[in-house]
Amino acid sequence: MNLVIQSPEPIADSHFKPLTALARAQRIDRDATGHVLRLSDAEPLQRADIDAYCGTHRLDYAFIDPALRLADFGLVAMDMDSTLITIECIDEIADFCGLKNEVAAITEASMRGEIKDFNESLTRRVALLKGLDASALDRVYEERLRLSPGAETMLAGARAAGMKTLLVSGGFTFFTEKLKARLGLDFTRANTLEIVDGKLTGKVVGEIVNAEVKARTLRETCAQLGIDPSRAIAMGDGSNDLKMMAEAGLSVAFRAKPVVREAASLALNFVGLDGVLRLF
């Protein structure tokens, strides 16, 4: 396997020898930017040692089949909150009715996998928003929503490789549809907040996009594209993403909860989303 090491900062020469020894690699190369090392013929059984070393030195790592290319994939599927974007939209919406701490605590527990029923978790949180003026959604989008580092570069690279893009979220269509138009995404799926007379009712309309629905959406999108799910890359950060990520040929935990990092093919803890492009 190739072992790809990445860092937001140029990687010092002092890392060459210990990484080569830990990975039992035959060769190490650095790219022109100095931010990426590629170790050839690395030993995947050394993952635990590599993980400890890279965690200590704030380096991201991934074991990658040297024959694999980005163009081998046909779809990149992304979670929205805390993956494609830096915020949890529902927490920020709740801030406008003075309930951010209460809602954020439920969000965090759900993402860590401590609340097993996502439908219950979302229903509880949305109920707390009852009566809030819908204009708060616009304010969250305009004032607080920011793309994660490397998001636009990653999407451009995926499109250049011939891939389609899917944004599938346990969040809300208000935000996914704006991002679809802004970023030129091909497919989106999310929850619809009920709004009556310009105010949130505290309810979600239709089927809740939980872990099972996320996984099903990935499968259905792949079928629509005529590709196997093994040709999908899935990116997420919370436990609600695990089933979707398990369907994909390559799963990426982006600044994720421990349960997600442990299950994913690889984790990007320090570099941006565009780190995916440098794996191949």
Side-chain angles (χ1 to χ4, degrees):
M1 300 286 275
N2 281 343
L3 174 61
V4 181
I5 306 289
Q6 301 189 60
S7 171
E9 307 297 331
I11 301 174
D13 293 351
S14 59
H15 291 300
F16 282 33
K17 186 175 288 187
L19 282 170
T20 303
L22 286 172
R24 300 176 183 171
Q26 298 302 309
R27 174 175 172 173
I28 186 166
D29 297 292
R30 180 162 51 187
D31 79 337
T33 70
H35 293 248
V36 184
L37 301 179
R38 194 173 304 274
L39 289 81
S40 305
D41 296 320
E43 175 52 72
L45 293 176
Q46 293 295 104
R47 181 182 297 271
D49 290 339
I50 294 293
D51 184 80
Y53 183 91
C54 289
T56 298
H57 296 282
R58 297 182 61 80
L59 301 170
D60 285 324
Y61 75 92
F63 285 95
I64 298 292
D65 183 340
L68 206 54
R69 298 291 177 265
L70 188 62
D72 294 334
F73 296 94
L75 176 71
V76 57
M78 303 154 285
D79 173 49
M80 179 174 68
D81 297 272
S82 298
T83 301
L84 184 64
I85 64 175
T86 61
I87 63 170
E88 291 289 327
C89 290
I90 193 167
D91 297 354
E92 301 305 322
I93 298 168
D95 198 24
F96 285 92
C97 50
L99 293 171
K100 182 174 182 177
N101 289 341
E102 291 90 330
V103 170
I106 301 171
T107 301
E108 181 73 9
S110 180
M111 289 173 62
R112 287 196 304 261
E114 294 168 4
I115 298 177
K116 301 302 182 184
D117 188 336
F118 179 81
N119 290 25
E120 178 196 349
S121 162
L122 184 69
T123 301
R124 283 170 56 193
R125 286 176 287 167
V126 171
L128 293 171
L129 307 178
K130 183 178 180 180
L132 182 65
D133 196 288
S135 63
L137 304 180
D138 285 297
R139 290 194 61 187
V140 169
Y141 182 80
E142 296 295 338
E143 299 173 16
R144 304 191 182 190
L145 187 148
R146 299 291 181 269
L147 297 176
S148 290
E152 290 178 290
T153 302
M154 181 274 292
L155 291 169
R159 280 192 290 268
M163 300 171 68
K164 298 298 184 180
T165 52
L166 165 65
L167 182 61
V168 56
S169 173
F172 307 116
T173 54
F174 179 89
F175 302 102
T176 58
E177 291 310 299
K178 284 183 176 293
L179 289 168
K180 182 178 184 180
R182 173 179 169 182
L183 300 172
L185 304 174
D186 297 297
F187 308 98
T188 60
R189 180 77 183 269
N191 298 300
T192 302
L193 285 170
E194 186 177 62
I195 299 173
V196 176
D197 296 331
K199 294 188 181 298
L200 303 186
T201 66
K203 297 178 181 179
V204 172
V205 179
E207 183 180 40
I208 289 177
V209 181
N210 56 26
E212 289 76 13
V213 174
K214 283 191 171 192
R216 188 178 78 223
T217 302
L218 183 143
R219 292 194 302 269
E220 291 173 347
T221 305
C222 286
Q224 186 175 339
L225 295 172
I227 64 173
D228 191 89
S230 65
R231 291 188 57 203
I233 297 173
M235 311 173 74
D237 71 300
S239 63
N240 196 39
D241 300 312
L242 287 172
K243 291 186 177 181
M244 173 180 75
M245 293 167 71
E247 295 280 348
L250 187 73
S251 56
V252 180
F254 183 70
R255 304 189 182 180
K257 301 304 177 189
V259 65
V260 182
R261 293 199 302 268
E262 291 166 9
S265 306
L266 63 107
L268 299 178
N269 300 318
F270 308 111
V271 301
L273 289 170
D274 54 335
V276 172
L277 306 178
R278 295 187 287 270
L279 297 173
F280 309 99

